[in-house]
Amino acid sequence: MLYLDWAATTPPYEEVVTAVAEAMRSHYGNPSSIHGLGIEAERLLGRAKDVMAAALGVDGRELIVTSGGTESNNLAIKGAAWANQSRGRHLITTQIEHPSVLEPLRQLEESGFEVTRLPVDAQGLVSVDALAAALRPDTVLVSVMHVNNEVGSVQPLAAIGRLLADKPTVLFHVDAIQSIGKLPLGLRELGVDLCSVSAHKFRGPKGVGLLYRREGVRLVPQLAGGGQEQGVRSGTENVPLVVGMAKALRLAMQGRESRTEAAYRLRRRLAAGIAAIPGLAVSGPDQEDCHAPHIVHFTYPGMKAEVVVHALEQHGMYISTKSACASGEDQPSAVLLAMGYSGAQAASGLRVSFPAELPEAEADRFLAALAQVAEQLAPARREQHGRRRR
Protein backbone atom coordinates (compact mmCIF):
# COMPACT_ATOMS: atom_id res chain seq x y z
CA MET A 1 0.00 0.00 0.00
CA LEU A 2 1.14 3.53 -0.78
CA TYR A 3 -0.83 6.22 1.07
CA LEU A 4 -0.54 9.61 -0.65
CA ASP A 5 -3.45 11.47 0.95
CA TRP A 6 -1.62 13.13 3.83
CA ALA A 7 -3.46 16.43 3.31
CA ALA A 8 -6.68 14.64 4.28
CA THR A 9 -5.24 13.01 7.39
CA THR A 10 -1.96 11.60 8.62
CA PRO A 11 -1.03 8.39 10.45
CA PRO A 12 -0.19 9.24 14.06
CA TYR A 13 3.35 8.97 15.36
CA GLU A 14 3.87 5.81 17.42
CA GLU A 15 4.95 8.09 20.28
CA VAL A 16 1.57 9.81 20.04
CA VAL A 17 -0.34 6.54 20.22
CA THR A 18 1.68 5.57 23.30
CA ALA A 19 1.17 8.97 24.96
CA VAL A 20 -2.59 8.92 24.37
CA ALA A 21 -2.92 5.36 25.69
CA GLU A 22 -0.87 6.13 28.80
CA ALA A 23 -2.88 9.27 29.53
CA MET A 24 -6.14 7.33 29.13
CA ARG A 25 -4.94 4.68 31.56
CA SER A 26 -3.38 6.89 34.20
CA HIS A 27 -4.85 10.40 33.93
CA TYR A 28 -8.58 9.85 33.53
CA GLY A 29 -9.66 12.49 36.06
CA ASN A 30 -11.83 15.41 34.99
CA PRO A 31 -9.55 18.48 34.90
CA SER A 32 -12.39 20.54 36.41
CA SER A 33 -12.68 18.30 39.47
CA ILE A 34 -11.17 19.54 42.74
CA HIS A 35 -9.90 16.19 44.00
CA GLY A 36 -6.43 14.81 43.42
CA LEU A 37 -7.14 13.01 40.15
CA GLY A 38 -8.77 16.12 38.73
CA ILE A 39 -5.89 18.36 39.82
CA GLU A 40 -3.44 15.91 38.28
CA ALA A 41 -5.35 15.98 34.97
CA GLU A 42 -5.48 19.78 35.07
CA ARG A 43 -1.72 19.98 35.57
CA LEU A 44 -1.15 17.58 32.68
CA LEU A 45 -3.41 19.70 30.49
CA GLY A 46 -1.46 22.82 31.45
CA ARG A 47 1.88 21.17 30.67
CA ALA A 48 0.59 20.06 27.28
CA LYS A 49 -0.51 23.61 26.51
CA ASP A 50 2.89 24.94 27.54
CA VAL A 51 4.58 22.49 25.15
CA MET A 52 2.33 23.60 22.28
CA ALA A 53 2.73 27.27 23.14
CA ALA A 54 6.52 26.92 23.03
CA ALA A 55 6.27 25.20 19.64
CA LEU A 56 4.08 28.00 18.28
CA GLY A 57 5.95 30.86 19.95
CA VAL A 58 2.98 32.09 21.98
CA ASP A 59 1.71 32.00 25.57
CA GLY A 60 -0.13 28.94 26.85
CA ARG A 61 -2.97 31.14 28.06
CA GLU A 62 -3.61 32.11 24.44
CA LEU A 63 -4.47 28.54 23.41
CA ILE A 64 -8.04 27.21 23.45
CA VAL A 65 -8.57 23.48 23.05
CA THR A 66 -11.24 22.51 20.50
CA SER A 67 -12.46 19.33 18.82
CA GLY A 68 -10.51 20.11 15.63
CA GLY A 69 -10.10 22.48 12.72
CA THR A 70 -13.79 22.88 11.93
CA GLU A 71 -14.65 23.98 15.45
CA SER A 72 -11.61 26.25 15.62
CA ASN A 73 -12.64 28.01 12.42
CA ASN A 74 -16.25 28.33 13.54
CA LEU A 75 -15.30 29.67 16.96
CA ALA A 76 -12.84 32.16 15.48
CA ILE A 77 -15.19 33.50 12.80
CA LYS A 78 -18.55 33.46 14.55
CA GLY A 79 -17.07 34.28 17.92
CA ALA A 80 -15.18 37.30 16.60
CA ALA A 81 -18.04 38.52 14.42
CA TRP A 82 -20.60 38.48 17.23
CA ALA A 83 -18.16 39.94 19.77
CA ASN A 84 -17.40 42.91 17.53
CA GLN A 85 -20.72 43.54 15.78
CA SER A 86 -21.16 46.86 17.55
CA ARG A 87 -18.13 48.17 15.61
CA GLY A 88 -19.11 46.68 12.25
CA ARG A 89 -20.67 43.77 10.42
CA HIS A 90 -18.37 43.45 7.42
CA LEU A 91 -16.14 40.39 6.98
CA ILE A 92 -13.55 39.56 4.30
CA THR A 93 -12.32 36.19 3.09
CA THR A 94 -11.27 34.53 -0.20
CA GLN A 95 -13.19 32.38 -2.65
CA ILE A 96 -10.99 29.32 -2.03
CA GLU A 97 -11.30 28.84 1.72
CA HIS A 98 -12.18 25.52 3.33
CA PRO A 99 -15.92 24.84 3.84
CA SER A 100 -15.42 25.22 7.61
CA VAL A 101 -14.67 28.89 6.91
CA LEU A 102 -17.08 29.55 4.06
CA GLU A 103 -20.12 27.97 5.75
CA PRO A 104 -19.89 29.95 9.03
CA LEU A 105 -19.55 33.11 6.94
CA ARG A 106 -22.63 32.16 4.93
CA GLN A 107 -24.54 31.64 8.18
CA LEU A 108 -23.43 35.05 9.40
CA GLU A 109 -24.72 36.59 6.16
CA GLU A 110 -28.13 35.13 6.99
CA SER A 111 -27.91 37.03 10.29
CA GLY A 112 -27.25 40.36 8.61
CA PHE A 113 -23.46 40.44 8.23
CA GLU A 114 -21.87 41.35 4.90
CA VAL A 115 -19.13 39.15 3.45
CA THR A 116 -16.64 40.05 0.73
CA ARG A 117 -15.10 37.00 -0.96
CA LEU A 118 -11.93 38.03 -2.72
CA PRO A 119 -11.06 36.33 -6.03
CA VAL A 120 -7.75 34.59 -6.63
CA ASP A 121 -5.56 34.48 -9.71
CA ALA A 122 -4.71 31.46 -11.86
CA GLN A 123 -2.04 30.50 -9.30
CA GLY A 124 -4.61 30.39 -6.50
CA LEU A 125 -3.21 33.51 -4.82
CA VAL A 126 -5.15 36.44 -3.41
CA SER A 127 -4.14 40.01 -4.21
CA VAL A 128 -3.11 42.13 -1.24
CA ASP A 129 -4.11 45.23 -3.23
CA ALA A 130 -7.59 43.76 -3.71
CA LEU A 131 -7.79 43.11 0.02
CA ALA A 132 -6.75 46.70 0.75
CA ALA A 133 -9.44 47.98 -1.59
CA ALA A 134 -12.07 45.77 0.07
CA LEU A 135 -11.41 47.08 3.60
CA ARG A 136 -14.14 49.36 4.96
CA PRO A 137 -14.63 51.33 8.16
CA ASP A 138 -17.04 48.63 9.35
CA THR A 139 -14.72 45.68 8.57
CA VAL A 140 -14.11 43.65 11.72
CA LEU A 141 -12.49 40.43 10.46
CA VAL A 142 -10.24 39.19 7.66
CA SER A 143 -9.97 35.39 7.34
CA VAL A 144 -7.34 33.97 4.96
CA MET A 145 -5.96 30.43 4.94
CA HIS A 146 -2.20 29.90 4.95
CA VAL A 147 -2.05 26.90 2.61
CA ASN A 148 -4.89 25.90 0.33
CA ASN A 149 -5.87 22.32 1.04
CA GLU A 150 -6.47 21.41 -2.61
CA VAL A 151 -3.85 23.05 -4.80
CA GLY A 152 -1.28 23.98 -2.13
CA SER A 153 -1.06 27.70 -2.83
CA VAL A 154 0.58 29.68 0.00
CA GLN A 155 -1.10 33.00 0.66
CA PRO A 156 0.97 36.16 1.32
CA LEU A 157 0.32 36.34 5.05
CA ALA A 158 3.27 38.62 5.79
CA ALA A 159 2.01 41.25 3.35
CA ILE A 160 -1.53 40.92 4.69
CA GLY A 161 -0.24 41.28 8.24
CA ARG A 162 1.62 44.46 7.32
CA LEU A 163 -1.51 45.83 5.67
CA LEU A 164 -3.61 45.18 8.78
CA ALA A 165 -0.95 46.29 11.28
CA ASP A 166 -2.25 49.86 11.42
CA LYS A 167 -5.90 48.78 11.51
CA PRO A 168 -6.35 47.63 15.11
CA THR A 169 -10.12 47.29 14.75
CA VAL A 170 -9.73 44.57 12.08
CA LEU A 171 -8.98 41.09 13.39
CA PHE A 172 -6.77 38.77 11.31
CA HIS A 173 -7.76 35.08 11.33
CA VAL A 174 -5.57 32.43 9.70
CA ASP A 175 -6.59 28.86 8.95
CA ALA A 176 -3.17 27.20 9.34
CA ILE A 177 -4.49 23.65 9.33
CA GLN A 178 -2.46 22.60 6.27
CA SER A 179 0.74 24.46 7.14
CA ILE A 180 1.57 23.67 10.78
CA GLY A 181 4.74 21.61 10.92
CA LYS A 182 5.46 22.15 7.23
CA LEU A 183 6.06 25.89 6.81
CA PRO A 184 7.26 28.58 9.22
CA LEU A 185 4.44 30.50 10.88
CA GLY A 186 5.40 33.27 13.28
CA LEU A 187 2.02 34.24 14.68
CA ARG A 188 3.29 37.31 16.55
CA GLU A 189 5.53 38.46 13.71
CA LEU A 190 2.68 38.16 11.21
CA GLY A 191 0.25 40.05 13.44
CA VAL A 192 -2.21 37.15 13.56
CA ASP A 193 -5.04 37.53 16.07
CA LEU A 194 -6.68 34.12 15.64
CA CYS A 195 -5.24 30.91 14.21
CA SER A 196 -6.84 27.49 13.69
CA VAL A 197 -4.92 24.22 14.16
CA SER A 198 -5.94 20.56 13.75
CA ALA A 199 -3.86 17.78 15.29
CA HIS A 200 -4.53 15.01 12.78
CA LYS A 201 -2.89 17.01 10.00
CA PHE A 202 0.53 16.73 11.68
CA ARG A 203 0.39 13.10 12.83
CA GLY A 204 -1.62 13.73 15.96
CA PRO A 205 -4.97 12.23 16.99
CA LYS A 206 -8.26 13.06 15.31
CA GLY A 207 -10.94 14.94 17.19
CA VAL A 208 -8.74 17.58 18.80
CA GLY A 209 -7.40 20.96 17.75
CA LEU A 210 -6.46 24.42 18.90
CA LEU A 211 -7.51 27.98 18.43
CA TYR A 212 -4.81 30.54 19.11
CA ARG A 213 -6.44 33.70 20.43
CA ARG A 214 -4.15 36.68 20.92
CA GLU A 215 -4.43 38.10 24.41
CA GLY A 216 -7.14 40.75 24.52
CA VAL A 217 -9.22 39.38 21.61
CA ARG A 218 -12.83 38.88 22.59
CA LEU A 219 -14.91 35.93 21.34
CA VAL A 220 -18.54 35.03 21.91
CA PRO A 221 -18.63 31.36 22.99
CA GLN A 222 -20.40 29.03 20.56
CA LEU A 223 -21.05 26.29 23.12
CA ALA A 224 -22.99 27.03 26.29
CA GLY A 225 -22.00 25.01 29.32
CA GLY A 226 -19.53 24.83 32.16
CA GLY A 227 -17.21 27.58 30.98
CA GLN A 228 -14.05 25.56 30.41
CA GLU A 229 -11.14 26.96 28.37
CA GLN A 230 -11.28 30.43 29.89
CA GLY A 231 -15.03 30.57 29.41
CA VAL A 232 -14.68 30.46 25.63
CA ARG A 233 -15.17 26.76 24.87
CA SER A 234 -17.32 24.78 27.28
CA GLY A 235 -16.97 21.02 27.54
CA THR A 236 -14.70 18.68 29.47
CA GLU A 237 -11.27 18.72 27.87
CA ASN A 238 -10.14 15.43 26.36
CA VAL A 239 -6.84 15.31 28.21
CA PRO A 240 -5.41 12.21 26.46
CA LEU A 241 -6.01 13.70 23.01
CA VAL A 242 -4.53 17.05 24.08
CA VAL A 243 -1.45 15.23 25.35
CA GLY A 244 -1.21 13.41 22.01
CA MET A 245 -1.58 16.69 20.13
CA ALA A 246 1.19 18.27 22.18
CA LYS A 247 3.49 15.32 21.50
CA ALA A 248 2.73 15.43 17.77
CA LEU A 249 3.23 19.18 17.52
CA ARG A 250 6.58 19.01 19.28
CA LEU A 251 7.74 16.22 16.97
CA ALA A 252 6.42 18.06 13.91
CA MET A 253 8.40 21.17 14.80
CA GLN A 254 11.63 19.27 15.47
CA GLY A 255 13.69 19.22 12.28
CA ARG A 256 10.93 21.00 10.36
CA GLU A 257 13.33 22.90 8.13
CA SER A 258 15.17 19.80 6.91
CA ARG A 259 11.90 17.94 6.38
CA THR A 260 10.50 20.87 4.41
CA GLU A 261 13.55 20.88 2.14
CA ALA A 262 13.20 17.14 1.59
CA ALA A 263 9.49 17.52 0.83
CA TYR A 264 10.19 20.23 -1.75
CA ARG A 265 12.70 17.93 -3.47
CA LEU A 266 10.08 15.20 -3.61
CA ARG A 267 7.48 17.65 -4.87
CA ARG A 268 9.73 18.72 -7.74
CA ARG A 269 10.29 15.06 -8.67
CA LEU A 270 6.59 14.23 -8.56
CA ALA A 271 5.49 17.38 -10.40
CA ALA A 272 7.99 16.80 -13.19
CA GLY A 273 6.95 13.16 -13.52
CA ILE A 274 3.24 14.00 -13.62
CA ALA A 275 3.75 16.79 -16.17
CA ALA A 276 5.54 14.31 -18.45
CA ILE A 277 2.49 12.02 -18.64
CA PRO A 278 0.31 12.79 -21.71
CA GLY A 279 -3.02 14.36 -20.84
CA LEU A 280 -2.05 15.44 -17.32
CA ALA A 281 -1.36 19.05 -16.32
CA VAL A 282 0.13 20.19 -13.01
CA SER A 283 -1.79 23.06 -11.41
CA GLY A 284 -1.10 25.57 -8.66
CA PRO A 285 1.58 28.25 -8.29
CA ASP A 286 4.59 28.22 -10.61
CA GLN A 287 6.96 29.65 -8.00
CA GLU A 288 8.07 27.22 -5.30
CA ASP A 289 7.93 29.82 -2.52
CA CYS A 290 4.22 30.22 -3.25
CA HIS A 291 3.56 26.48 -3.04
CA ALA A 292 3.29 24.13 -0.07
CA PRO A 293 5.97 21.42 0.01
CA HIS A 294 3.66 18.45 0.56
CA ILE A 295 1.00 18.83 -2.15
CA VAL A 296 1.03 18.24 -5.91
CA HIS A 297 -2.22 18.99 -7.72
CA PHE A 298 -2.96 18.12 -11.34
CA THR A 299 -5.87 17.82 -13.75
CA TYR A 300 -6.83 15.18 -16.30
CA PRO A 301 -9.41 17.04 -18.44
CA GLY A 302 -12.02 14.78 -19.98
CA MET A 303 -11.79 12.17 -17.22
CA LYS A 304 -13.66 12.26 -13.92
CA ALA A 305 -11.22 12.46 -11.04
CA GLU A 306 -12.97 9.67 -9.13
CA VAL A 307 -12.23 7.22 -11.97
CA VAL A 308 -8.50 7.88 -11.63
CA VAL A 309 -8.64 7.58 -7.84
CA HIS A 310 -10.30 4.16 -8.02
CA ALA A 311 -8.00 2.98 -10.81
CA LEU A 312 -4.96 3.82 -8.69
CA GLU A 313 -6.56 2.10 -5.73
CA GLN A 314 -6.38 -1.12 -7.75
CA HIS A 315 -2.60 -0.63 -7.63
CA GLY A 316 -2.73 -0.17 -3.85
CA MET A 317 -2.18 3.58 -4.11
CA TYR A 318 -4.36 6.18 -2.44
CA ILE A 319 -4.70 9.79 -3.58
CA SER A 320 -7.68 12.16 -3.46
CA THR A 321 -9.74 14.56 -5.50
CA LYS A 322 -10.58 17.71 -3.55
CA SER A 323 -11.02 18.46 0.14
CA ALA A 324 -11.84 15.29 2.06
CA CYS A 325 -14.86 17.14 3.48
CA ALA A 326 -16.25 17.60 -0.05
CA SER A 327 -14.81 14.64 -1.93
CA GLY A 328 -18.12 12.77 -1.91
CA GLU A 329 -19.87 15.57 -3.79
CA ASP A 330 -20.26 15.09 -7.55
CA GLN A 331 -19.42 18.72 -8.29
CA PRO A 332 -16.43 20.42 -9.94
CA SER A 333 -13.90 21.85 -7.54
CA ALA A 334 -14.94 25.33 -6.39
CA VAL A 335 -11.26 26.12 -5.85
CA LEU A 336 -10.33 25.34 -9.46
CA LEU A 337 -13.35 27.22 -10.78
CA ALA A 338 -12.27 30.26 -8.74
CA MET A 339 -8.81 29.95 -10.31
CA GLY A 340 -10.33 30.21 -13.79
CA TYR A 341 -10.34 26.54 -14.79
CA SER A 342 -13.11 25.22 -17.03
CA GLY A 343 -15.81 22.95 -15.68
CA ALA A 344 -14.19 19.90 -17.29
CA GLN A 345 -10.82 20.78 -15.76
CA ALA A 346 -12.36 21.48 -12.37
CA ALA A 347 -14.08 18.09 -12.40
CA SER A 348 -10.80 16.29 -13.10
CA GLY A 349 -8.61 17.70 -10.34
CA LEU A 350 -6.46 15.25 -8.37
CA ARG A 351 -4.29 15.79 -5.30
CA VAL A 352 -1.19 13.91 -4.25
CA SER A 353 -0.03 14.70 -0.70
CA PHE A 354 2.87 12.99 0.98
CA PRO A 355 5.33 12.95 3.88
CA ALA A 356 8.86 14.30 3.60
CA GLU A 357 10.11 10.81 4.43
CA LEU A 358 8.61 9.25 1.27
CA PRO A 359 11.43 7.32 -0.47
CA GLU A 360 12.18 8.45 -4.02
CA ALA A 361 11.70 4.86 -5.18
CA GLU A 362 8.13 4.98 -3.88
CA ALA A 363 7.52 8.29 -5.65
CA ASP A 364 8.78 6.73 -8.87
CA ARG A 365 6.58 3.68 -8.31
CA PHE A 366 3.58 5.95 -8.03
CA LEU A 367 4.52 7.80 -11.22
CA ALA A 368 4.81 4.52 -13.09
CA ALA A 369 1.37 3.41 -11.89
CA LEU A 370 -0.15 6.79 -12.74
CA ALA A 371 1.31 6.66 -16.25
CA GLN A 372 -0.15 3.17 -16.70
CA VAL A 373 -3.57 4.28 -15.48
CA ALA A 374 -3.55 7.36 -17.72
CA GLU A 375 -2.67 5.22 -20.72
CA GLN A 376 -5.44 2.72 -19.93
CA LEU A 377 -8.01 5.50 -19.52
CA ALA A 378 -6.93 7.48 -22.58
CA PRO A 379 -9.39 5.78 -25.04
CA ALA A 380 -12.35 6.41 -22.71
CA ARG A 381 -11.20 9.99 -22.23
CA ARG A 382 -11.01 10.57 -26.00
CA GLU A 383 -14.45 9.04 -26.45
CA GLN A 384 -16.00 11.26 -23.79
CA HIS A 385 -14.26 14.32 -25.25
CA GLY A 386 -15.57 13.44 -28.69
CA ARG A 387 -19.16 13.08 -27.45
CA ARG A 388 -18.97 16.50 -25.84
CA ARG A 389 -17.70 18.09 -29.05
CA ARG A 390 -20.56 16.53 -31.08
Side-chain angles (χ1 to χ4, degrees):
M1 185 191 79
L2 183 55
Y3 178 68
L4 298 173
D5 196 15
W6 285 59
T9 195
T10 59
Y13 290 109
E14 283 300 321
E15 298 95 322
V16 168
V17 175
T18 300
V20 171
E22 177 58 29
M24 290 182 73
R25 276 193 297 264
S26 305
H27 304 283
Y28 49 82
N30 187 322
S32 296
S33 297
I34 61 172
H35 53 62
L37 284 176
I39 293 170
E40 183 181 86
E42 183 184 26
R43 286 173 178 164
L44 185 59
L45 181 65
R47 288 198 297 271
K49 282 190 177 183
D50 288 342
V51 168
M52 294 185 288
L56 296 172
V58 299
D59 190 287
R61 292 167 296 183
E62 296 177 304
L63 298 182
I64 299 166
V65 173
T66 69
S67 62
T70 292
E71 186 186 349
S72 293
N73 282 337
N74 273 260
L75 176 57
I77 292 166
K78 293 180 181 178
W82 288 117
N84 294 279
Q85 61 176 322
S86 62
R87 293 192 291 101
R89 294 168 70 88
H90 179 235
L91 316 167
I92 299 176
T93 190
T94 79
Q95 293 179 355
I96 64 167
E97 299 298 309
H98 189 271
S100 61
V101 167
L102 295 176
E103 281 302 300
L105 288 168
R106 182 189 61 78
Q107 292 177 341
L108 286 168
E109 278 184 307
E110 294 176 351
S111 300
F113 287 83
E114 291 185 68
V115 179
T116 297
R117 298 170 180 82
L118 299 172
V120 294
D121 61 18
Q123 312 288 310
L125 301 173
V126 70
S127 164
V128 179
D129 289 339
L131 172 57
L135 289 169
R136 303 184 338 200
D138 61 338
T139 303
V140 293
L141 178 71
V142 171
S143 180
V144 178
M145 68 190 342
H146 190 188
V147 169
N148 180 264
N149 53 295
E150 286 189 38
V151 299
S153 51
V154 179
Q155 300 301 337
L157 297 189
I160 294 173
R162 288 192 295 270
L163 171 67
L164 299 178
D166 61 348
K167 296 174 174 57
T169 60
V170 181
L171 295 175
F172 184 19
H173 168 242
V174 172
D175 173 349
I177 290 166
Q178 281 293 343
S179 64
I180 293 291
K182 301 172 184 70
L183 292 174
L185 182 67
L187 296 173
R188 298 205 190 282
E189 294 81 0
L190 293 171
V192 174
D193 299 297
L194 297 158
C195 181
S196 302
V197 177
S198 181
H200 76 103
K201 302 295 187 179
F202 48 82
R203 306 194 66 178
K206 294 178 180 64
V208 66
L210 285 176
L211 177 63
Y212 161 74
R213 177 186 62 159
R214 179 181 56 78
E215 186 178 2
V217 172
R218 293 185 303 114
L219 296 174
V220 171
Q222 300 302 295
L223 297 175
Q228 290 89 344
E229 294 301 295
Q230 305 167 60
V232 177
R233 198 277 185 183
S234 291
T236 301
E237 295 94 342
N238 191 325
V239 175
L241 293 191
V242 177
V243 169
M245 175 167 57
K247 173 75 75 172
L249 185 57
R250 183 176 63 80
L251 292 171
M253 291 301 190
Q254 287 178 354
R256 182 197 57 76
E257 291 185 6
S258 61
R259 282 202 307 276
T260 297
E261 291 175 5
Y264 272 125
R265 286 195 296 271
L266 275 168
R267 189 190 178 280
R268 288 192 289 270
R269 190 183 192 94
L270 286 166
I274 291 170
I277 298 173
L280 307 187
V282 175
S283 41
D286 296 328
Q287 294 178 297
E288 192 168 87
D289 61 352
C290 295
H291 207 297
H294 65 298
I295 294 174
V296 180
H297 188 277
F298 64 97
T299 60
Y300 190 23
M303 181 56 61
K304 282 191 175 182
E306 294 82 0
V307 175
V308 180
V309 169
H310 293 310
L312 283 169
E313 191 173 354
Q314 299 305 308
H315 292 260
M317 299 183 182
Y318 299 87
I319 67 170
S320 60
T321 55
K322 43 194 172 183
S323 164
C325 299
S327 59
E329 301 173 2
D330 188 20
Q331 296 291 333
S333 163
V335 171
L336 293 179
L337 291 175
M339 292 168 62
Y341 284 77
S342 68
Q345 290 172 316
S348 71
L350 293 149
R351 181 185 68 187
V352 181
S353 48
F354 50 88
E357 298 82 6
L358 180 71
E360 289 185 353
E362 290 291 85
D364 292 342
R365 187 164 71 89
F366 165 74
L367 291 171
L370 179 61
Q372 183 180 340
V373 165
E375 184 178 1
Q376 290 171 343
L377 295 176
R381 174 175 172 261
R382 286 193 293 268
E383 182 180 344
Q384 290 178 18
H385 182 64
R387 281 202 300 268
R388 279 196 296 271
R389 290 186 66 181
R390 288 194 296 271

